[in-house]
PDB file of all heavy atoms in Angstrom:
ATOM      1  N   SER A   1      -0.909  -6.101  -0.983  1.00 97.00           N
ATOM      2  CA  SER A   1      -1.132  -6.752   0.302  1.00 97.00           C
ATOM      3  C   SER A   1      -1.036  -5.679   1.442  1.00 97.00           C
ATOM      4  O   SER A   1      -0.549  -4.591   1.208  1.00 97.00           O
ATOM      5  CB  SER A   1      -0.236  -7.939   0.599  1.00 97.00           C
ATOM      6  OG  SER A   1       1.130  -7.463   0.727  1.00 97.00           O
ATOM      7  N   TRP A   2      -1.465  -6.126   2.624  1.00 97.00           N
ATOM      8  CA  TRP A   2      -1.265  -5.211   3.807  1.00 97.00           C
ATOM      9  C   TRP A   2      -1.186  -6.034   5.086  1.00 97.00           C
ATOM     10  O   TRP A   2      -1.656  -7.214   5.124  1.00 97.00           O
ATOM     11  CB  TRP A   2      -2.320  -4.204   3.848  1.00 97.00           C
ATOM     12  CG  TRP A   2      -3.728  -4.780   3.903  1.00 97.00           C
ATOM     13  CD1 TRP A   2      -4.459  -5.114   4.992  1.00 97.00           C
ATOM     14  CD2 TRP A   2      -4.546  -5.093   2.770  1.00 97.00           C
ATOM     15  NE1 TRP A   2      -5.722  -5.691   4.564  1.00 97.00           N
ATOM     16  CE2 TRP A   2      -5.736  -5.630   3.210  1.00 97.00           C
ATOM     17  CE3 TRP A   2      -4.379  -4.945   1.368  1.00 97.00           C
ATOM     18  CZ2 TRP A   2      -6.797  -6.062   2.361  1.00 97.00           C
ATOM     19  CZ3 TRP A   2      -5.401  -5.417   0.535  1.00 97.00           C
ATOM     20  CH2 TRP A   2      -6.604  -5.907   1.040  1.00 97.00           C
ATOM     21  N   ASP A   3      -0.604  -5.488   6.053  1.00 97.00           N
ATOM     22  CA  ASP A   3      -0.462  -6.103   7.403  1.00 97.00           C
ATOM     23  C   ASP A   3      -1.164  -5.229   8.328  1.00 97.00           C
ATOM     24  O   ASP A   3      -1.175  -3.965   8.217  1.00 97.00           O
ATOM     25  CB  ASP A   3       0.980  -6.239   7.801  1.00 97.00           C
ATOM     26  CG  ASP A   3       1.801  -7.074   6.762  1.00 97.00           C
ATOM     27  OD1 ASP A   3       1.401  -8.121   6.411  1.00 97.00           O
ATOM     28  OD2 ASP A   3       2.826  -6.497   6.346  1.00 97.00           O
ATOM     29  N   VAL A   4      -1.814  -5.808   9.368  1.00 97.00           N
ATOM     30  CA  VAL A   4      -2.476  -5.005  10.388  1.00 97.00           C
ATOM     31  C   VAL A   4      -1.770  -5.340  11.697  1.00 97.00           C
ATOM     32  O   VAL A   4      -1.565  -6.527  12.031  1.00 97.00           O
ATOM     33  CB  VAL A   4      -3.963  -5.413  10.439  1.00 97.00           C
ATOM     34  CG1 VAL A   4      -4.711  -4.575  11.545  1.00 97.00           C
ATOM     35  CG2 VAL A   4      -4.687  -5.240   9.079  1.00 97.00           C
ATOM     36  N   SER A   5      -1.492  -4.293  12.470  1.00 97.00           N
ATOM     37  CA  SER A   5      -0.832  -4.479  13.725  1.00 97.00           C
ATOM     38  C   SER A   5      -1.787  -5.230  14.680  1.00 97.00           C
ATOM     39  O   SER A   5      -2.998  -5.231  14.507  1.00 97.00           O
ATOM     40  CB  SER A   5      -0.409  -3.118  14.352  1.00 97.00           C
ATOM     41  OG  SER A   5      -1.604  -2.376  14.617  1.00 97.00           O
ATOM     42  N   PRO A   6      -1.207  -5.867  15.720  1.00 98.00           N
ATOM     43  CA  PRO A   6      -2.035  -6.653  16.672  1.00 98.00           C
ATOM     44  C   PRO A   6      -3.162  -5.817  17.350  1.00 98.00           C
ATOM     45  O   PRO A   6      -4.227  -6.303  17.575  1.00 98.00           O
ATOM     46  CB  PRO A   6      -1.051  -7.086  17.698  1.00 98.00           C
ATOM     47  CG  PRO A   6       0.259  -7.209  16.976  1.00 98.00           C
ATOM     48  CD  PRO A   6       0.256  -6.057  16.016  1.00 98.00           C
ATOM     49  N   ASP A   7      -2.869  -4.541  17.534  1.00 97.00           N
ATOM     50  CA  ASP A   7      -3.903  -3.725  18.147  1.00 97.00           C
ATOM     51  C   ASP A   7      -4.946  -3.125  17.152  1.00 97.00           C
ATOM     52  O   ASP A   7      -5.936  -2.436  17.491  1.00 97.00           O
ATOM     53  CB  ASP A   7      -3.360  -2.520  18.942  1.00 97.00           C
ATOM     54  CG  ASP A   7      -2.557  -1.544  18.051  1.00 97.00           C
ATOM     55  OD1 ASP A   7      -2.496  -1.695  16.848  1.00 97.00           O
ATOM     56  OD2 ASP A   7      -2.004  -0.557  18.707  1.00 97.00           O
ATOM     57  N   GLY A   8      -4.760  -3.421  15.846  1.00 96.00           N
ATOM     58  CA  GLY A   8      -5.702  -3.051  14.785  1.00 96.00           C
ATOM     59  C   GLY A   8      -5.575  -1.538  14.420  1.00 96.00           C
ATOM     60  O   GLY A   8      -6.434  -1.025  13.790  1.00 96.00           O
ATOM     61  N   LYS A   9      -4.525  -0.897  14.871  1.00 97.00           N
ATOM     62  CA  LYS A   9      -4.446   0.580  14.669  1.00 97.00           C
ATOM     63  C   LYS A   9      -3.429   1.004  13.622  1.00 97.00           C
ATOM     64  O   LYS A   9      -3.383   2.182  13.270  1.00 97.00           O
ATOM     65  CB  LYS A   9      -4.140   1.245  16.008  1.00 97.00           C
ATOM     66  CG  LYS A   9      -5.325   1.121  16.970  1.00 97.00           C
ATOM     67  CD  LYS A   9      -5.050   1.971  18.182  1.00 97.00           C
ATOM     68  CE  LYS A   9      -6.224   1.866  19.137  1.00 97.00           C
ATOM     69  NZ  LYS A   9      -6.059   2.644  20.321  1.00 97.00           N
ATOM     70  N   THR A  10      -2.531   0.085  13.129  1.00 97.00           N
ATOM     71  CA  THR A  10      -1.632   0.476  12.090  1.00 97.00           C
ATOM     72  C   THR A  10      -1.721  -0.534  10.924  1.00 97.00           C
ATOM     73  O   THR A  10      -1.633  -1.739  11.150  1.00 97.00           O
ATOM     74  CB  THR A  10      -0.178   0.481  12.652  1.00 97.00           C
ATOM     75  OG1 THR A  10      -0.133   1.406  13.758  1.00 97.00           O
ATOM     76  CG2 THR A  10       0.802   0.844  11.635  1.00 97.00           C
ATOM     77  N   TYR A  11      -1.897   0.057   9.766  1.00 97.00           N
ATOM     78  CA  TYR A  11      -2.024  -0.729   8.561  1.00 97.00           C
ATOM     79  C   TYR A  11      -0.776  -0.430   7.675  1.00 97.00           C
ATOM     80  O   TYR A  11      -0.502   0.714   7.342  1.00 97.00           O
ATOM     81  CB  TYR A  11      -3.284  -0.354   7.763  1.00 97.00           C
ATOM     82  CG  TYR A  11      -4.495  -0.650   8.515  1.00 97.00           C
ATOM     83  CD1 TYR A  11      -4.931   0.067   9.686  1.00 97.00           C
ATOM     84  CD2 TYR A  11      -5.305  -1.728   8.209  1.00 97.00           C
ATOM     85  CE1 TYR A  11      -6.084  -0.221  10.333  1.00 97.00           C
ATOM     86  CE2 TYR A  11      -6.431  -2.137   8.909  1.00 97.00           C
ATOM     87  CZ  TYR A  11      -6.830  -1.363   9.969  1.00 97.00           C
ATOM     88  OH  TYR A  11      -7.939  -1.661  10.671  1.00 97.00           O
ATOM     89  N   THR A  12      -0.057  -1.476   7.272  1.00 98.00           N
ATOM     90  CA  THR A  12       1.119  -1.382   6.479  1.00 98.00           C
ATOM     91  C   THR A  12       0.776  -1.857   5.078  1.00 98.00           C
ATOM     92  O   THR A  12       0.474  -3.068   4.934  1.00 98.00           O
ATOM     93  CB  THR A  12       2.315  -2.135   7.056  1.00 98.00           C
ATOM     94  OG1 THR A  12       2.550  -1.611   8.390  1.00 98.00           O
ATOM     95  CG2 THR A  12       3.553  -1.878   6.207  1.00 98.00           C
ATOM     96  N   PHE A  13       0.741  -0.936   4.148  1.00 97.00           N
ATOM     97  CA  PHE A  13       0.357  -1.276   2.757  1.00 97.00           C
ATOM     98  C   PHE A  13       1.517  -1.530   1.883  1.00 97.00           C
ATOM     99  O   PHE A  13       2.469  -0.686   1.885  1.00 97.00           O
ATOM    100  CB  PHE A  13      -0.558  -0.233   2.182  1.00 97.00           C
ATOM    101  CG  PHE A  13      -1.907  -0.067   2.797  1.00 97.00           C
ATOM    102  CD1 PHE A  13      -2.061   0.794   3.859  1.00 97.00           C
ATOM    103  CD2 PHE A  13      -2.954  -0.862   2.364  1.00 97.00           C
ATOM    104  CE1 PHE A  13      -3.315   0.934   4.415  1.00 97.00           C
ATOM    105  CE2 PHE A  13      -4.168  -0.774   2.976  1.00 97.00           C
ATOM    106  CZ  PHE A  13      -4.388   0.166   4.013  1.00 97.00           C
ATOM    107  N   HIS A  14       1.594  -2.669   1.226  1.00 98.00           N
ATOM    108  CA  HIS A  14       2.679  -2.977   0.273  1.00 98.00           C
ATOM    109  C   HIS A  14       2.135  -2.759  -1.131  1.00 98.00           C
ATOM    110  O   HIS A  14       1.256  -3.470  -1.593  1.00 98.00           O
ATOM    111  CB  HIS A  14       3.156  -4.460   0.485  1.00 98.00           C
ATOM    112  CG  HIS A  14       3.491  -4.722   1.894  1.00 98.00           C
ATOM    113  ND1 HIS A  14       4.596  -4.386   2.486  1.00 98.00           N
ATOM    114  CD2 HIS A  14       2.761  -5.328   2.889  1.00 98.00           C
ATOM    115  CE1 HIS A  14       4.677  -4.791   3.757  1.00 98.00           C
ATOM    116  NE2 HIS A  14       3.496  -5.306   4.056  1.00 98.00           N
ATOM    117  N   LEU A  15       2.620  -1.717  -1.734  1.00 97.00           N
ATOM    118  CA  LEU A  15       2.136  -1.271  -3.038  1.00 97.00           C
ATOM    119  C   LEU A  15       2.522  -2.193  -4.187  1.00 97.00           C
ATOM    120  O   LEU A  15       3.681  -2.756  -4.174  1.00 97.00           O
ATOM    121  CB  LEU A  15       2.545   0.123  -3.356  1.00 97.00           C
ATOM    122  CG  LEU A  15       2.254   1.229  -2.263  1.00 97.00           C
ATOM    123  CD1 LEU A  15       2.778   2.562  -2.712  1.00 97.00           C
ATOM    124  CD2 LEU A  15       0.757   1.213  -1.989  1.00 97.00           C
ATOM    125  N   LYS A  16       1.697  -2.292  -5.179  1.00 96.00           N
ATOM    126  CA  LYS A  16       2.018  -3.058  -6.383  1.00 96.00           C
ATOM    127  C   LYS A  16       3.100  -2.312  -7.085  1.00 96.00           C
ATOM    128  O   LYS A  16       3.070  -1.070  -7.221  1.00 96.00           O
ATOM    129  CB  LYS A  16       0.781  -3.163  -7.320  1.00 96.00           C
ATOM    130  CG  LYS A  16      -0.235  -4.110  -6.843  1.00 96.00           C
ATOM    131  CD  LYS A  16      -1.368  -4.198  -7.857  1.00 96.00           C
ATOM    132  CE  LYS A  16      -2.466  -5.108  -7.359  1.00 96.00           C
ATOM    133  NZ  LYS A  16      -3.650  -5.070  -8.247  1.00 96.00           N
ATOM    134  N   LYS A  17       4.062  -2.999  -7.552  1.00 95.00           N
ATOM    135  CA  LYS A  17       5.166  -2.412  -8.351  1.00 95.00           C
ATOM    136  C   LYS A  17       4.743  -2.346  -9.806  1.00 95.00           C
ATOM    137  O   LYS A  17       4.002  -3.127 -10.308  1.00 95.00           O
ATOM    138  CB  LYS A  17       6.438  -3.206  -8.186  1.00 95.00           C
ATOM    139  CG  LYS A  17       6.986  -3.113  -6.811  1.00 95.00           C
ATOM    140  CD  LYS A  17       8.189  -3.949  -6.578  1.00 95.00           C
ATOM    141  CE  LYS A  17       8.556  -3.844  -5.129  1.00 95.00           C
ATOM    142  NZ  LYS A  17       9.412  -4.897  -4.618  1.00 95.00           N
ATOM    143  N   GLY A  18       5.200  -1.294 -10.502  1.00 93.00           N
ATOM    144  CA  GLY A  18       4.916  -1.152 -11.923  1.00 93.00           C
ATOM    145  C   GLY A  18       3.629  -0.395 -12.258  1.00 93.00           C
ATOM    146  O   GLY A  18       3.291  -0.205 -13.419  1.00 93.00           O
ATOM    147  N   VAL A  19       2.890   0.043 -11.238  1.00 92.00           N
ATOM    148  CA  VAL A  19       1.666   0.833 -11.423  1.00 92.00           C
ATOM    149  C   VAL A  19       2.131   2.214 -11.872  1.00 92.00           C
ATOM    150  O   VAL A  19       2.943   2.840 -11.212  1.00 92.00           O
ATOM    151  CB  VAL A  19       0.819   0.926 -10.197  1.00 92.00           C
ATOM    152  CG1 VAL A  19      -0.373   1.807 -10.395  1.00 92.00           C
ATOM    153  CG2 VAL A  19       0.294  -0.497  -9.787  1.00 92.00           C
ATOM    154  N   LYS A  20       1.541   2.721 -12.977  1.00 91.00           N
ATOM    155  CA  LYS A  20       1.968   3.973 -13.489  1.00 91.00           C
ATOM    156  C   LYS A  20       0.848   4.954 -13.667  1.00 91.00           C
ATOM    157  O   LYS A  20      -0.274   4.583 -13.923  1.00 91.00           O
ATOM    158  CB  LYS A  20       2.664   3.760 -14.841  1.00 91.00           C
ATOM    159  CG  LYS A  20       3.900   2.948 -14.687  1.00 91.00           C
ATOM    160  CD  LYS A  20       4.745   2.888 -15.923  1.00 91.00           C
ATOM    161  CE  LYS A  20       5.931   2.008 -15.585  1.00 91.00           C
ATOM    162  NZ  LYS A  20       6.976   2.093 -16.413  1.00 91.00           N
ATOM    163  N   PHE A  21       1.183   6.203 -13.470  1.00 87.00           N
ATOM    164  CA  PHE A  21       0.249   7.299 -13.744  1.00 87.00           C
ATOM    165  C   PHE A  21       0.092   7.456 -15.270  1.00 87.00           C
ATOM    166  O   PHE A  21       0.868   6.922 -16.044  1.00 87.00           O
ATOM    167  CB  PHE A  21       0.654   8.549 -13.076  1.00 87.00           C
ATOM    168  CG  PHE A  21       0.563   8.567 -11.615  1.00 87.00           C
ATOM    169  CD1 PHE A  21       1.705   8.347 -10.835  1.00 87.00           C
ATOM    170  CD2 PHE A  21      -0.627   8.777 -10.955  1.00 87.00           C
ATOM    171  CE1 PHE A  21       1.620   8.315  -9.439  1.00 87.00           C
ATOM    172  CE2 PHE A  21      -0.758   8.750  -9.585  1.00 87.00           C
ATOM    173  CZ  PHE A  21       0.379   8.508  -8.796  1.00 87.00           C
ATOM    174  N   HIS A  22      -0.827   8.269 -15.706  1.00 84.00           N
ATOM    175  CA  HIS A  22      -1.040   8.526 -17.127  1.00 84.00           C
ATOM    176  C   HIS A  22       0.170   9.110 -17.778  1.00 84.00           C
ATOM    177  O   HIS A  22       0.412   8.871 -18.990  1.00 84.00           O
ATOM    178  CB  HIS A  22      -2.180   9.510 -17.277  1.00 84.00           C
ATOM    179  CG  HIS A  22      -1.943  10.856 -16.898  1.00 84.00           C
ATOM    180  ND1 HIS A  22      -1.934  11.254 -15.579  1.00 84.00           N
ATOM    181  CD2 HIS A  22      -1.578  11.990 -17.537  1.00 84.00           C
ATOM    182  CE1 HIS A  22      -1.633  12.537 -15.444  1.00 84.00           C
ATOM    183  NE2 HIS A  22      -1.362  12.959 -16.656  1.00 84.00           N
ATOM    184  N   ASN A  23       1.098   9.739 -17.061  1.00 90.00           N
ATOM    185  CA  ASN A  23       2.287  10.382 -17.628  1.00 90.00           C
ATOM    186  C   ASN A  23       3.475   9.373 -17.641  1.00 90.00           C
ATOM    187  O   ASN A  23       4.600   9.721 -18.036  1.00 90.00           O
ATOM    188  CB  ASN A  23       2.697  11.610 -16.908  1.00 90.00           C
ATOM    189  CG  ASN A  23       3.057  11.405 -15.450  1.00 90.00           C
ATOM    190  OD1 ASN A  23       3.010  10.272 -14.922  1.00 90.00           O
ATOM    191  ND2 ASN A  23       3.330  12.489 -14.759  1.00 90.00           N
ATOM    192  N   GLY A  24       3.248   8.153 -17.169  1.00 91.00           N
ATOM    193  CA  GLY A  24       4.279   7.104 -17.154  1.00 91.00           C
ATOM    194  C   GLY A  24       5.129   7.042 -15.880  1.00 91.00           C
ATOM    195  O   GLY A  24       5.842   6.112 -15.712  1.00 91.00           O
ATOM    196  N   LYS A  25       4.918   7.971 -14.939  1.00 94.00           N
ATOM    197  CA  LYS A  25       5.588   7.936 -13.637  1.00 94.00           C
ATOM    198  C   LYS A  25       5.038   6.806 -12.815  1.00 94.00           C
ATOM    199  O   LYS A  25       3.855   6.600 -12.642  1.00 94.00           O
ATOM    200  CB  LYS A  25       5.389   9.259 -12.878  1.00 94.00           C
ATOM    201  CG  LYS A  25       6.062   9.345 -11.587  1.00 94.00           C
ATOM    202  CD  LYS A  25       5.627  10.598 -10.789  1.00 94.00           C
ATOM    203  CE  LYS A  25       6.153  10.642  -9.432  1.00 94.00           C
ATOM    204  NZ  LYS A  25       5.644   9.686  -8.512  1.00 94.00           N
TER     205      LYS A  25
END
């Protein structure tokens, strides 16, 4: 999900937990 500031200039992204790179990180 993400939130947008009232002026439309700041986007706060909430990352999915548990997403892993190919190396498991």
Side-chain angles (χ1 to χ4, degrees):
S1 65
W2 56 92
D3 305 307
V4 182
S5 63
D7 64 2
K9 293 186 177 182
T10 302
Y11 295 76
T12 303
F13 292 94
H14 306 281
L15 305 179
K16 287 182 182 176
K17 294 178 181 158
V19 174
K20 298 187 181 196
F21 290 101
H22 69 284
N23 63 1
K25 179 188 176 293

